[in-house]
Amino acid sequence: MKRIIAKSTLREFWGKYPEAEQYLKTWYDTAKKAKWLTPNDVKQSYVSASILKNGRVVFNIKGNNYRLVVKFNYEKQWAFIRFVGTHAEYDKIDANNI
């Protein structure tokens, strides 16, 4: 991905949940280096990722303790972090529309 918007969202989250920091940093580094052109490309890197509509993908972070929702523009190689939270917080959102 050429751009990931916004790493500050991840930093803010791991400030509250330090045990998630290394997992989110690993995801960020992997995504930054990736050339994901389709949802299937994402699945090859993250088999447990859930592919949603509208370019959204849900990643399980730290053994599914946390969830990360990212909206991808595969053509422009942009990733927009739409949500990061606990599993309980994730259950309260509509990941397809966030």
Side-chain angles (χ1 to χ4, degrees):
M1 293 283 119
K2 290 179 186 171
R3 292 190 68 191
I4 300 176
I5 305 160
K7 188 175 184 180
S8 60
T9 303
L10 300 179
R11 276 194 216 103
E12 218 173 275
F13 186 77
W14 75 55
K16 286 191 271 187
Y17 300 94
E19 67 278 5
E21 180 175 1
Q22 197 53 54
Y23 296 91
L24 290 169
K25 283 182 174 178
T26 298
W27 176 88
Y28 183 90
D29 291 341
T30 301
K32 190 78 176 154
K33 294 173 189 165
K35 278 249 189 218
W36 293 327
L37 301 174
T38 68
N40 286 335
D41 293 342
V42 176
K43 285 289 274 186
Q44 286 181 5
S45 297
Y46 287 94
V47 294
S48 65
S50 300
I51 307 300
L52 305 180
K53 64 182 182 177
N54 299 324
R56 285 173 172 77
V57 178
V58 179
F59 296 91
N60 300 320
I61 304 295
K62 194 179 182 280
N64 207 20
N65 288 346
Y66 306 104
R67 293 282 180 95
L68 174 65
V69 179
V70 181
K71 182 176 181 177
F72 290 98
N73 180 321
Y74 296 103
E75 187 178 319
K76 292 183 179 177
Q77 287 291 288
W78 292 351
F80 300 89
I81 296 168
R82 304 297 297 147
F83 170 85
V84 59
T86 66
H87 203 288
E89 291 167 335
Y90 172 82
D91 288 342
K92 296 176 184 173
I93 66 158
D94 179 356
N96 283 302
N97 294 307
I98 196 162

